[in-house]
Amino acid sequence: MIPVFDDWRSVPADRKGGVVALGNFDGVHRGHQALLAQAREQAASLGAPVVAFTFEPHPRGFFVPDTGPFRLTLLPAKTRLLAQHGAQAVLAQRFEAAFADLPASSFIEDVLLSGLGARHVVCGYDFTFGARRSGNVEMLRAEGARRGFGVTVVDPVTHEGEIYSSTRIREALRHGWAREAAGLLGHDWEIEGTVELGDQRGRTIGFPTANVALGEHLRPRFGVYAVRALVDGQESEGWRNGVANLGKRPTFGKLQENFEVHLFDFTGDLYGKVLRVALVDFIRAEMKFPGLDALKAQIAADGQAARVKLGA
């Protein structure tokens, strides 16, 4: 795993003097990947490291704290994806009042130049920075020309006339369009969380499930999904096929959101382990059943549908 720092003043000397890729990078989607490719290209020409500069919490969560869960990727997943696309370190800048109030000129002078020693900066066409979003790409370009650091601004990355964006991906997931979201992301969308103790009802009907904490992840459309899951990051063990239910379990009168994952042909203990669960395809919307027999019959049908979609 690449190093992660939570403040620009804590970045060590061997990660300074490089190419800084700027952005929220929520989802690390195809547009972000194009930006990171530009950063890698610049870094190769300079013989310098790539540092991905992002923010935690997401500025939207800071400015609108009651906005509800909306994140496509929490920090562990974001870091993993940024490394996969060439970042050699991640600065997940702690986004708090003092940083939010930093003038745009100070962001350039103190953070990018004095703090990180940036030789080149790469950002998207709509990147803004500094208090009240007073800094923009035109300011970066002007200061780069004046101060001697390079600036690459990446134009919108589009597919069939539409811009790849985190907003569009969130919309797809809220409709349950898992495959469309994966196409926009360039990878399956995942929920990553620790397996918690649930009410253990599933095992009493022959269908044990792992109750995965949702945390600050976006809530996609409630219902049943064909999924693949990785247990505790054990890549050598491979991804396991399964079926998952996301919702409030109306048959049992529940009000709390739950994400319950059943892994096919798995008998191990998952409590306390971290599951990465990739949503592969939507099977059906959340339903309320008249009784346990109807629920069990539907669970069996859902499992079979998931196997078909996964080719399992």
Side-chain angles (χ1 to χ4, degrees), residues 10-265:
S10 65
V11 177
D14 64 349
R15 292 298 188 270
K16 296 181 180 181
V19 176
V20 179
L22 294 164
N24 287 318
F25 296 115
D26 193 20
V28 194
H29 56 61
R30 292 186 186 274
H32 298 143
Q33 293 164 28
L35 189 156
L36 291 162
Q38 289 285 327
R40 291 198 308 273
E41 183 178 321
Q42 293 296 332
S45 67
L46 294 171
V50 175
V51 176
F53 191 155
T54 186
F55 310 94
E56 288 290 333
H58 191 294
R60 173 176 162 185
F62 174 83
F63 289 114
V64 190
D66 59 350
T67 191
F70 68 93
R71 296 283 296 272
L72 295 173
T73 43
L74 306 188
L75 185 57
K78 185 193 290 189
T79 299
R80 186 168 52 244
L81 287 163
L82 289 170
Q84 181 180 320
H85 291 283
Q88 290 151 293
V90 172
L91 171 55
Q93 176 60 46
R94 191 167 55 251
F95 201 90
E96 54 193 7
F99 189 82
D101 290 339
L102 199 66
S105 58
S106 296
F107 178 79
I108 295 173
E109 176 65 35
D110 298 338
V111 179
L112 293 180
L113 297 180
S114 297
L116 300 180
R119 295 166 63 187
H120 200 101
V121 173
V122 183
C123 64
Y125 68 99
D126 57 352
F127 182 72
T128 59
F129 56 94
R132 295 173 294 281
R133 297 183 176 181
S134 55
N136 53 30
V137 296
E138 287 75 21
M139 182 179 183
L140 269 179
R141 282 182 170 132
E143 286 300 299
R146 187 173 74 87
R147 301 295 302 275
F149 64 92
V151 177
T152 297
V153 177
V154 179
D155 291 331
V157 181
T158 62
H159 175 67
E160 297 180 348
E162 291 197 57
I163 297 173
Y164 288 110
S165 71
S166 300
T167 298
R168 186 178 168 201
I169 295 162
R170 292 187 191 104
E171 180 182 359
L173 289 167
R174 288 184 176 120
H175 282 89
W177 301 335
R179 290 193 183 275
E180 179 176 326
L184 297 170
L185 285 162
H187 51 84
D188 287 331
W189 184 69
E190 299 177 18
I191 293 174
E192 181 173 352
T194 302
V195 178
E196 301 175 333
L197 185 64
D199 57 22
Q200 301 181 303
R201 182 176 283 109
R203 67 179 56 203
T204 66
I205 58 175
F207 202 78
T209 59
N211 192 54
V212 179
L214 287 164
E216 293 302 311
H217 288 99
L218 171 86
R219 294 342 186 219
R221 184 182 180 186
F222 284 179
V224 177
Y225 292 82
V227 301
R228 291 191 176 95
L230 188 69
V231 180
D232 258 2
Q234 296 173 357
E235 297 276 0
S236 61
E237 298 294 324
W239 288 76
R240 300 176 182 275
N241 294 320
V243 62
N245 181 76
L246 173 66
K248 296 185 178 181
R249 298 182 293 175
T251 301
F252 300 106
K254 298 292 184 179
L255 298 177
Q256 183 178 356
E257 298 167 335
N258 282 274
F259 184 50
E260 298 173 296
V261 182
H262 172 73
L263 303 182
F264 300 142
D265 310 314

